[in-house]
Amino acid sequence: MRQQPAQFAPFRQRMADEGLADLFIAHFAHYYQKLLGGDDGLLRESDIRPVESLDNAERLSPHLARIGRAAVGRAVIIKLNGGLGTSMGLTGPKSLLVVKEGLTFLDIIARQAIGIGAPLLLMNSFATDAQSLAVLGRYPQLQRDHLPLSFCQHKQPKVNATDFSPAAWPDDPELEWCPPGHGDIYTALVTSGMLDRLLAAGYEYAFVSNADNLGAVLDPGILGYMVDKRLPFLMEVADRTEADRKGGHLARRPDGGLLLREIAQCPAGDMDAFQDIGRHRYFNTNNLWLHLPTLRDTLEARDHELDLPMIRNRKTVDPRDPDSTPVYQLETAMGSAIAVFRGAEAIRVPRVRFAPVKKTDDLLAVRSDAYLLTPDYGVVLDPARRGQPPGVELDAAYYRFVNDLDCCFPAGAPSLRDCDRLRVEGQFEFGPRVVLRGDVVLRNDPDQCLVVPAGLTLTDAVWPAEAVRPANAVRTPCQTR
């Protein structure tokens, strides 16, 4: 056991009282010591190099797909499923949100896994485990090799930013704890016993992705690429656009090895270079491929500490109260492990493999006819869109939460199949069979709700024009009904 600083004693006691594993307590102590030592987790522009080019997943040979299909029996699908969707007004697992044709994220994920023929594992939080497993219980076909369907990520104390003591918040003690970031997957696989169980059952590869990214489906061609090249670790990256300027990007160390830099790791003086999408061309989709025997061997060789770069997030202990105690949340990103494994690589993938639902704007687009649910339960853009999703911007004052979205779209999403951009300012109640094409703006006065009539078609328009404002079309605002 690694030596722990004296100041860590109250953290160790608090974590032991919660029943957390000794291995994870030592892991948190490692990062706490970094905090005490002044480690800011920053990666400076002068210490990295741009990535010029990568192999393209869209140009892989059919031979690699055949190799991948032959290896599916040795692969497992892991979905990160710890989120509650609080930013969208949800109180339960985000993955239980209905997204397409009456199916939730988890229904779609389960049916994908059954069709592929690979085991499905959820990395849940303690808050999402029971409800998520209840949904998977509808799918007995998921039970394979006596494997559990989930393992849980850890939780850790928030750190008082003033004196580095455990944060205290008696009004709601649960707010004294936080998740350690998805970099926790490597430790959680060990402490849960899941890594050993997978290896004992003969599984060699894991495809890991976020549960809210319905574009992340196990691809035989990419699996074949990993198998053929005998890679220990593979990251899927996509081309950065203006919308991705604040997202983490791929880079190289001076020795040529790959690394991942998140925006929280960028010094303020390097922010222009960080957001230069011509210089740093690729972002991490958080779709990762792991060679499980290599992961086990690497963890054992390093005393189960991968020493991923620390992300020091400064927040308040109650995120809803900006005047509450300032704290640090010490996190790691699972993609940063690309710098740990000798021979790790990245591969460029099409944007369709990155379709996360982070806001109600994304949810409305996915629920619309711009996206299709395929017979094998893929959620894909309509081919006529040529890989370009509609840009949706909903007024956060009225549509931020899912219940508000459902209230304002009682007949479901409008047709967005031929819509390039939709911007909604103010509150509207959409009738059925509304069709939006091209660039459409809907603009309404504050504090009133205007009805969009059934069957309305708008093409490259601002609606309503004052001269044609529909009579008797004002409703009581949705939120006050």
Side-chain angles (χ1 to χ4, degrees):
M1 185 68 66
R2 294 177 292 273
Q3 185 174 2
Q4 298 170 0
Q7 284 175 263
F8 189 72
F11 290 94
R12 182 171 56 248
Q13 187 61 55
R14 180 176 290 196
M15 297 173 78
D17 290 344
E18 287 290 313
L20 292 164
D22 288 342
L23 182 63
F24 178 69
I25 295 174
H27 173 78
F28 181 64
H30 174 76
Y31 286 95
Y32 181 73
Q33 190 150 17
K34 283 176 173 284
L35 178 69
L36 293 183
D39 187 336
D40 55 15
L42 298 180
L43 291 170
R44 291 161 178 79
E45 188 69 21
S46 59
D47 296 330
I48 62 176
R49 305 289 182 269
V51 177
E52 300 296 339
S53 63
L54 294 167
D55 286 342
N56 190 336
E58 295 180 281
R59 298 174 184 167
L60 298 180
S61 71
H63 173 65
L64 292 178
R66 289 193 292 271
I67 293 175
R69 284 191 289 272
V72 164
R74 293 176 283 145
V76 61
I77 298 166
I78 301 178
K79 291 289 182 177
L80 307 183
N81 187 51
L84 290 177
T86 52
S87 64
M88 297 170 69
L90 303 175
T91 57
K94 182 180 178 182
S95 59
L96 302 193
L97 185 63
V98 173
V99 287
K100 201 73 178 170
E101 298 185 18
L103 298 176
T104 67
F105 284 104
L106 269 189
D107 288 310
I108 292 171
I109 289 167
R111 295 177 189 208
Q112 287 174 351
I114 291 167
I116 291 167
L120 173 65
L121 292 175
L122 303 180
M123 185 171 87
N124 289 330
S125 64
F126 293 103
T128 64
D129 197 49
Q131 289 176 272
S132 299
L133 289 179
V135 172
L136 295 190
R138 304 171 192 163
Y139 301 97
Q141 309 96 306
L142 292 174
Q143 294 290 343
R144 297 169 63 96
D145 297 319
H146 306 289
L147 291 172
L149 294 176
S150 74
F151 61 102
C152 280
Q153 68 183 60
H154 298 103
K155 64 177 185 177
Q156 64 190 28
K158 297 176 182 178
V159 182
N160 188 304
T162 303
D163 61 8
F164 300 142
S165 65
W169 198 245
D171 290 346
D172 187 353
E174 281 300 309
L175 292 178
E176 299 169 359
W177 298 84
C178 64
H182 42 61
D184 181 51
I185 186 172
Y186 307 110
T187 305
L189 279 168
V190 174
T191 59
S192 66
M194 186 61 72
L195 181 57
D196 285 341
R197 295 185 73 159
L198 290 171
L199 291 167
Y203 294 101
E204 296 180 51
Y205 302 96
F207 172 55
V208 187
S209 59
N210 295 336
D212 67 358
N213 179 11
L214 292 174
V217 182
L218 190 151
D219 182 281
I222 299 176
L223 175 58
Y225 178 86
M226 186 173 187
V227 173
D228 186 62
K229 298 194 73 174
R230 299 183 179 182
L231 299 179
F233 183 102
L234 180 65
M235 174 188 289
E236 295 185 24
V237 299
D239 294 339
R240 291 174 93 197
T241 67
E242 286 297 321
D244 310 307
R245 292 171 68 241
K246 295 184 178 180
H249 68 77
L250 191 68
R252 291 195 186 277
R253 301 188 302 266
D255 66 4
L258 292 168
L259 58 81
L260 177 66
R261 180 169 67 164
E262 303 286 354
I263 194 166
Q265 297 170 286
C266 180
D270 290 340
M271 199 56 68
D272 286 346
F274 181 95
Q275 298 189 40
D276 184 345
I277 63 174
R279 176 174 174 79
H280 295 298
R281 298 172 50 193
Y282 304 109
F283 74 91
N284 171 29
T285 64
N286 230 33
N287 302 344
L288 304 179
W289 299 77
L290 310 176
H291 183 244
L292 296 175
T294 300
L295 175 61
R296 175 200 56 202
D297 295 346
T298 303
L299 284 166
E300 290 179 353
R302 299 171 67 111
D303 196 19
H304 292 95
E305 183 54 72
L306 295 183
D307 193 24
L308 304 180
M310 182 175 70
I311 301 172
R312 187 186 66 179
N313 276 333
R314 188 180 176 97
K315 300 190 176 185
T316 55
V317 66
D318 183 346
R320 297 159 299 186
D321 181 0
D323 296 323
S324 61
T325 307
V327 297
Y328 289 124
Q329 295 184 191
L330 309 184
E331 302 175 10
T332 58
M334 69 177 185
S336 64
I338 195 170
V340 172
F341 297 97
R342 184 183 300 274
E345 292 192 11
I347 187 169
R348 179 189 176 275
V349 298
R351 188 81 183 200
V352 294
R353 289 188 62 78
F354 181 72
V357 176
K358 300 298 184 185
K359 301 189 295 184
T360 52
D361 308 44
D362 308 318
L363 181 60
L364 184 70
V366 171
R367 285 178 170 177
S368 80
D369 58 0
Y371 286 82
L372 307 175
L373 184 66
T374 64
D376 58 355
Y377 296 98
V379 178
V380 300
L381 278 169
D382 186 303
R385 296 199 60 88
R386 298 181 180 180
Q388 295 299 318
V392 177
E393 304 171 41
L394 301 178
D395 192 328
Y398 303 100
Y399 304 94
R400 178 183 174 190
F401 298 134
V402 172
N403 62 335
D404 294 327
L405 185 78
D406 292 341
C407 187
C408 293
F409 294 87
S415 172
L416 300 178
R417 182 175 52 206
D418 300 311
C419 183
D420 299 320
R421 179 171 171 263
L422 168 64
R423 188 169 81 249
V424 181
E425 302 172 6
Q427 190 173 26
F428 295 84
E429 182 181 302
F430 285 70
R433 303 183 309 283
V434 173
V435 178
L436 307 178
R437 297 173 176 151
D439 193 334
V440 177
V441 178
L442 286 86
R443 186 175 291 133
N444 191 16
D445 297 331
D447 303 321
Q448 71 172 206
C449 181
L450 189 63
V451 173
V452 180
L456 179 69
T457 297
L458 296 172
T459 302
D460 292 322
V462 176
W463 189 89
E466 195 61 38
V468 296
R469 181 177 287 270
N472 303 317
V474 176
R475 291 277 194 272
T476 302
C478 186
Q479 293 127 313
T480 61
R481 293 184 197 175

